[in-house]
Amino acid sequence: MASSLTPPAIPFELHIGNRDKLLKSIRQDLSDSSRPLHGFILLQGGVEKNRYCTDHAELFRQESYFAYLFGVREPEFYGAIDIATGNSILFAPRLPVDYAVWLGEIKSLSYFKERYMVSMVYYTDEIGQVLCDQYGGSGKPLLFLLHGLNTDSDNFSKPAEFQSMENFETDLTTLHPVLTECRVIKSDLELALIQFANDISSEAHIEVMRKTRVKMKEYQLESMFLHHTYMYGGCRHCSYTCICATGGSGAVLHYGHAAAPNDRILEDGDMALLDMGAEYHFYGSDITCSFPVNGKFTSDQALIYNAVLESHNVVISSMKPGVSWIDMHKLAEKTILESLKKGCILVGDVDDMMTKRLGAVFMPHGLGHFLGLDTHDPGGYLKGLERPKEPGLRSLRTVRELKEGMVITVEPGCYFIDAVLVPAMENSNTSMFFNRETIGRFKGFGGVRIESDLHVTANGCKNMSKCPRETWEIEAVMAGAPWPLDKKDLS
């Protein structure tokens, strides 16, 4: 199938807006703490890496904070913002003459100034001199460098380094929390790119759904998705490694890695769980569709699928500014547990199950995460916010209250993971909740996850993902019906 979509022009005004937003925020932060409004924000862009000891250069993707402020696709750049004047300065690498032989035209500084809409451009070997020349104050110029913890990876961002740094004062604490919070609330231009990434990814998911057949390999589904998003969306990068899990592999939360490389054969009666999202101009998407590989839901498949779908839908209908994400996670868990009780998989009081954290047995991961330049966008834990200790809740990537302008995924799931399920069935605190006769039918079932990307609006939220979700919609699309479904054909 061809696509109805065309990759949009990249609006570099977006990065002017991001710089202005940061400048306003950091000036406010400095004013609040009675510090002078001068110095430079300085970031170092990403570095191209070779594969181990070889000369094979791996495909470069810009570091996300640098991409946010400058939108630069090339490696080895630096970028600065003068807090006093608001001027933006890019520093490009001075390339050797033979670059033109092997890698193409050596672009002029004026090219980068025009393309990236900055105030001025110099070479990276001029950073120290230029910043000293631009500085209007007395004493050593002050550099605000990016250094802070990513609460998803537990890694620290790397502050910029260059020769002659001894001629500058440095601040390693101010910039990171301010810039991270800027990234949490999306502008209209950012939302438009995230929407396109969602549109092309939704379309690709539907294409995969239509072409899935028993006896295919999982990697063929991955290949169809990658082809569609690149061929029709210009998406050279994915937001993350594709998860194309079928059958029992659907119980592996981050399937698709090198040791489980989407290589199982699809069998009749399997559920597929496909978690795939394309990236466009650094901005990503994160969508999961679950469906029967043969195109028809069994009653057991429909039971688990509808439990997750109801959870997905009730959370989305409850989302608005001021709502606690912990409360949304608990709502998702409770809705799934109620459905499993109705389906005779569980017995007993659902509130008791919640107290004993039984929801985490079927959904060990968090309900969702911020999305933007990174799949797991930063800012989930503001200073002073503690990560919960209880099962399930400790996997939450944020515990914040929702704010207008956030983009966050809603991805409830229900999995039959032996490593979690068997201990819970043997534990005297939780064993009484399981109907062993019924739950035995789901050994090897895998799991179901339904994931959409939500933009929090002034009085609710907007679902940016546009995939078939109801069981009858999925069956119709897999049988060849157009999407969106023509309501006249269904009456």
Side-chain angles (χ1 to χ4, degrees):
M1 179 193 88
S3 173
S4 62
L5 301 168
T6 304
I10 293 166
F12 285 99
E13 296 85 355
L14 179 156
H15 304 287
I16 296 176
N18 291 350
R19 292 194 294 272
D20 288 346
K21 184 178 181 182
L22 172 61
L23 198 56
K24 184 179 176 185
S25 295
I26 203 161
R27 283 173 173 170
Q28 186 66 54
D29 188 80
L30 293 172
S31 296
D32 290 347
S33 52
S34 303
R35 288 183 284 173
L37 303 185
H38 64 68
F40 298 92
I41 295 160
L42 181 69
L43 270 70
Q44 183 173 355
V47 176
E48 191 171 61
K49 293 178 181 172
N50 283 6
R51 182 184 290 172
Y52 305 115
C53 65
T54 75
D55 64 351
H56 168 68
E58 294 179 339
L59 181 61
F60 175 74
R61 195 273 194 186
Q62 187 59 263
E63 191 279 325
S64 293
Y65 283 102
F66 196 81
Y68 177 80
L69 290 176
F70 297 101
V72 172
R73 64 186 177 189
E74 296 88 352
E76 329 287 339
F77 272 64
Y78 288 71
I81 302 171
D82 187 334
I83 289 171
T85 65
N87 284 336
S88 52
I89 313 167
L90 273 179
F91 297 95
R94 199 184 290 271
L95 300 171
V97 174
D98 67 349
Y99 181 99
V101 177
W102 299 96
L103 295 168
E105 179 190 354
I106 296 176
K107 303 288 198 307
S108 66
L109 297 184
S110 60
Y111 166 86
F112 293 121
K113 181 176 183 292
E114 186 177 338
R115 177 177 175 82
Y116 295 122
M117 297 183 171
V118 291
S119 310
M120 50 194 93
V121 182
Y122 297 92
Y123 289 112
T124 52
D125 56 20
E126 301 175 298
I127 293 174
Q129 186 62 54
V130 167
L131 295 183
C132 284
D133 291 347
Q134 293 290 322
Y135 181 59
S138 58
K140 289 182 176 181
L142 176 59
L143 302 180
F144 294 93
L145 304 178
L146 188 69
H147 180 67
L149 180 69
N150 182 302
T151 55
D152 290 305
S153 66
D154 280 338
N155 294 327
F156 284 84
S157 49
K158 180 178 176 288
E161 294 178 343
F162 62 95
Q163 287 185 337
S164 77
M165 280 193 77
E166 67 276 4
N167 298 326
F168 297 84
E169 301 287 346
T170 57
D171 176 318
L172 288 169
T173 58
T174 301
L175 178 59
H176 188 270
V178 175
L179 180 51
T180 297
E181 193 59 19
C182 287
R183 284 180 58 182
V184 169
I185 306 300
K186 272 60 180 181
S187 68
D188 288 345
L189 289 174
E190 289 181 288
L191 289 167
L193 291 180
I194 296 169
Q195 186 62 68
F196 176 73
N198 264 270
D199 289 346
I200 194 68
S201 297
S202 297
E203 195 178 76
H205 269 284
I206 293 161
E207 180 74 351
V208 173
M209 217 178 262
R210 284 203 179 105
K211 290 185 173 176
T212 295
R213 299 289 182 271
V214 172
K215 297 303 178 186
M216 276 184 165
K217 285 284 192 84
E218 290 165 338
Y219 58 69
Q220 292 178 280
L221 313 186
E222 177 181 18
S223 172
M224 286 188 273
F225 180 87
L226 296 175
H227 171 73
H228 192 93
T229 55
Y230 198 0
M231 179 82 174
Y232 300 110
C235 300
R236 195 173 196 189
H237 293 274
C238 256
S239 301
Y240 51 93
T241 303
C242 292
I243 298 169
C244 294
T246 59
S249 300
V252 181
L253 300 180
H254 284 168
Y255 187 73
H257 56 88
N262 295 331
D263 61 352
R264 185 179 171 277
I265 295 172
L266 281 59
E267 301 293 350
D268 199 9
D270 284 345
M271 281 294 288
L273 186 162
L274 306 187
D275 187 339
M276 306 183 288
E279 174 182 302
Y280 186 75
H281 187 61
F282 310 119
Y283 285 88
S285 57
D286 188 355
I287 300 173
T288 307
C289 295
S290 297
F291 57 89
V293 301
N294 65 10
K296 288 286 181 185
F297 284 88
T298 66
S299 56
D300 279 349
Q301 287 172 340
L303 166 62
I304 304 304
Y305 185 88
N306 285 325
V308 177
L309 182 62
E310 187 179 351
S311 173
H312 169 273
N313 292 348
V314 76
V315 166
I316 289 173
S317 65
S318 306
M319 285 171 60
K320 61 184 178 182
V323 166
S324 156
W325 197 242
I326 292 181
D327 290 348
M328 292 296 94
H329 180 93
K330 289 178 177 177
L331 175 62
E333 284 184 327
K334 188 171 185 179
T335 305
I336 289 169
L337 292 174
E338 286 169 344
S339 294
L340 295 182
K341 181 181 174 181
K342 278 184 205 153
C344 300
I345 292 170
L346 298 177
V347 293
D349 183 73
V350 171
D351 288 330
D352 287 347
M353 296 178 200
M354 289 291 290
T355 303
K356 300 283 179 63
R357 299 300 309 133
L358 198 71
V361 172
F362 294 96
M363 187 173 82
H365 60 71
L367 173 64
H369 50 81
F370 292 150
L371 174 77
L373 291 152
D374 292 305
T375 310
H376 299 150
D377 230 26
Y381 285 87
L382 293 171
K383 194 172 181 181
L385 283 180
E386 291 281 320
R387 188 179 286 274
K389 303 286 191 291
E390 305 96 316
L393 298 177
R394 63 177 172 240
S395 298
L396 280 166
R397 296 185 185 276
T398 184
V399 292
R400 294 179 61 167
E401 290 187 353
L402 296 179
K403 284 181 164 184
E404 183 180 359
M406 286 177 170
V407 175
I408 193 164
T409 67
V410 172
E411 49 180 305
C414 181
Y415 315 88
F416 295 85
I417 306 170
D418 286 345
V420 186
L421 196 54
V422 171
M425 291 174 72
E426 293 173 351
N427 187 317
S428 57
N429 277 328
T430 49
S431 59
M432 74 290 290
F433 295 123
F434 296 95
N435 180 342
R436 281 163 167 70
E437 189 179 330
T438 310
I439 208 166
R441 296 204 311 264
F442 293 88
K443 186 165 180 62
F445 178 92
V448 166
R449 179 162 65 252
I450 301 172
E451 179 178 18
S452 300
D453 302 340
L454 279 298
H455 164 217
V456 182
T457 59
N459 51 13
C461 63
K462 177 197 172 199
N463 192 340
M464 305 176 86
S465 310
K466 299 172 181 176
C467 298
R469 293 306 193 191
E470 299 290 342
T471 55
W472 55 270
E473 290 175 333
I474 290 168
E475 289 184 348
V477 165
M478 292 186 75
W483 181 259
L485 295 177
D486 189 332
K487 298 295 186 282
K488 292 197 294 288
D489 293 343
L490 299 171
S491 56

